Amino acid sequence: MDRLTNTVRPYAWGSTTAIPQLIGAEPTGEPQAEMWLGAHPGAPSRTGRGPLNEVIDADPTAELGEQAVTKFGPRLPFLLKLLAAGAPLSLQVHPDLGQAKEGYAAEEAKGVPIGAPDRNYKDANHKPELICALTEFDGLCGFRAPEEAARLLEGLGVDSLKPYADLLRAHPEEAALREVLTAILTADRDEMAHTVTEAAAAAQRLGGPYEPYAGIAHHYPGDPGVIAAMLLNYVQLQPGEALFLGAGVPHAYLNGLGVEIMANSDNVLRCGLTPKHVDVPELLRIVRFEATDPGVLRPEASADGEEVYDTPIDEFRLSRFVLPEGAPAHDLTAATPQILLCTAGTVRAGDIDLAPGGSAFVPAGEKAEVSGVGTLFRATVVA
């Protein structure tokens, strides 16, 4: 078992305080957005044996186990994160596996550099993800029903939004959502900026269900994504609740601290709330234009106290243990690779003591006994 030392990414939307408060460190004044735990080459965790990606590359079967290597190849198929949003992230979607392979191959054939700002596909993998709230956590997830979105837009009393409300009522669900999102993202930028300014002022005045959108507009004044965001379900998670985000589902995290796990991919198609490249035609190819229930997940407890967040994905499996005083030790030994992350209290994993923010990598088959008083998240795969 290896204690992990992890990189914190300073993205501009990150909270300046949430991760420092969790790990008991002094804030630096700079945003601390994501702590990466895993073997992603962009910021691999470090072990006493070297960077985790290099440790795995040296002997994939020993580290990941034969089952995982057979199913996913010689790499850790998930990336675990602590995510701390102090401002809204970009409104985005992720491709399914077939779309990712196709898009990656097409950009490779065109010779688009992997680091080019207009490149959509950094790899040939899909990127389903799960976010589990550690604090109250606000987000957007999936389309509202068109009629509900139309009422929300009309309630602002902004004349230039009326055509969008009319479109939402004029067509069947898929066509209505597609036409309105297309219209928002292809509108004249100056005219849209004026509409967003009016809508933001109205949202600020009205409050209530409009309050989240006033906050979004404060961070992204004039951005078309502010109006696009109103097409989506607003979700407020309580600690311990989670959201699963599958392929083609538009979403954005707005505020809060959580544990996020995803398939090991960088593929993101952006809809707005960002200064980065927005490829509208490719985005429209990937988005699933259907109204959905956000489907807030609550963990399912097993007899041994493990609380599992059930998802339809094999590349990752996230669970947690809430360990009370006097609880017996849990044997987590498994034939698959694991990352353990403490988020509260003090947990002993093998011979490693983990305080909040502390983590460990457990190679496949390695003895893994945990005890203590606190909360421990367990990330592994279904193989």
Side-chain angles (χ1 to χ4, degrees):
M1 190 181 304
D2 299 276
R3 182 186 294 277
L4 297 179
T5 302
N6 306 300
T7 298
V8 176
R9 311 304 292 265
Y11 303 135
W13 49 261
S15 167
T16 59
T17 59
I19 289 178
Q21 285 177 354
L22 179 75
I23 65 177
E26 282 295 319
T28 65
E30 299 297 318
Q32 298 186 42
E34 294 181 348
M35 178 187 288
W36 287 22
L37 300 86
H40 192 288
S45 299
R46 299 177 298 284
T47 76
R49 298 183 286 157
L52 185 56
N53 57 332
E54 295 180 10
V55 170
I56 291 171
D57 288 345
D59 194 344
T61 301
E63 302 298 331
L64 305 178
E66 186 175 345
Q67 292 175 317
V69 171
T70 298
K71 190 166 186 176
F72 305 111
R75 62 185 183 87
L76 189 67
F78 64 83
L79 177 63
L80 185 68
K81 298 179 179 179
L82 271 176
L83 183 146
L89 283 68
S90 62
L91 191 59
Q92 59 189 255
V93 296
H94 306 303
D96 64 27
L97 190 56
Q99 292 165 337
K101 289 179 176 178
E102 181 182 343
Y104 180 76
E107 290 188 321
E108 287 290 280
K110 291 177 183 177
V112 182
I114 200 74
D118 60 344
R119 173 122 186 182
N120 295 314
Y121 298 93
K122 305 297 175 64
D123 52 69
N125 199 17
H126 62 165
K127 193 187 176 187
E129 57 192 42
L130 176 79
I131 183 76
C132 176
L134 294 179
T135 65
E136 192 172 87
F137 194 98
D138 298 344
L140 305 171
C141 179
F143 285 110
R144 299 173 183 268
E147 175 60 33
E148 183 183 346
R151 289 197 300 269
L152 193 69
L153 291 173
E154 284 179 334
L156 289 168
V158 175
D159 289 344
S160 52
L161 291 177
K162 188 177 185 305
Y164 300 134
D166 291 342
L167 277 174
L168 286 165
R169 293 193 172 103
H171 302 286
E173 179 178 284
E174 180 179 353
L177 294 170
R178 180 182 291 276
E179 287 196 32
V180 172
L181 184 62
T182 303
I184 290 169
L185 297 181
T186 58
D188 178 86
R189 296 290 295 193
D190 291 337
E191 291 180 6
M192 177 53 70
H194 180 72
T195 294
V196 172
T197 300
E198 280 193 85
Q204 182 70 38
R205 183 179 67 255
L206 292 167
Y210 294 100
E211 188 174 348
Y213 307 100
I216 293 169
H218 171 75
H219 290 285
Y220 297 98
D223 193 302
V226 175
I227 306 303
M230 298 184 72
L231 303 178
L232 306 186
N233 297 298
Y234 171 65
V235 185
Q236 195 166 55
L237 300 178
Q238 298 303 311
E241 295 180 335
L243 284 176
F244 172 71
L245 301 155
V249 177
H251 61 276
Y253 302 147
L254 303 180
N255 185 68
L257 176 67
V259 174
E260 184 183 37
I261 191 168
M262 62 190 63
N264 203 351
S265 172
D266 273 341
N267 290 326
V268 177
L269 281 298
R270 295 176 178 85
C271 313
L273 309 183
T274 179
K276 295 182 179 179
H277 177 62
V278 176
D279 184 337
V280 175
E282 185 64 12
L283 170 72
L284 297 175
R285 187 177 79 88
I286 299 303
V287 171
R288 286 170 47 196
F289 288 98
E290 60 183 31
T292 59
D293 184 316
V296 174
L297 294 177
R298 295 171 182 85
E300 299 177 9
S302 61
D304 64 357
E306 184 176 23
E307 300 177 338
V308 180
Y309 293 90
D310 187 36
T311 71
I313 296 299
D314 289 347
E315 282 92 339
F316 60 75
R317 176 184 183 274
L318 186 70
S319 61
R320 71 173 185 173
F321 291 85
V322 180
L323 305 172
E325 183 78 43
H330 293 269
D331 184 359
L332 305 189
T333 307
T336 52
Q338 304 178 70
I339 291 180
L340 307 179
L341 169 65
C342 176
T343 59
T346 302
V347 177
R348 187 165 182 82
D351 59 357
I352 300 174
D353 288 325
L354 300 177
S359 58
F361 173 71
V362 186
E366 188 78 15
K367 180 72 173 177
E369 190 171 86
V370 300
S371 59
V373 179
T375 301
L376 183 77
F377 281 83
R378 179 193 198 189
T380 185
V381 301
V382 180

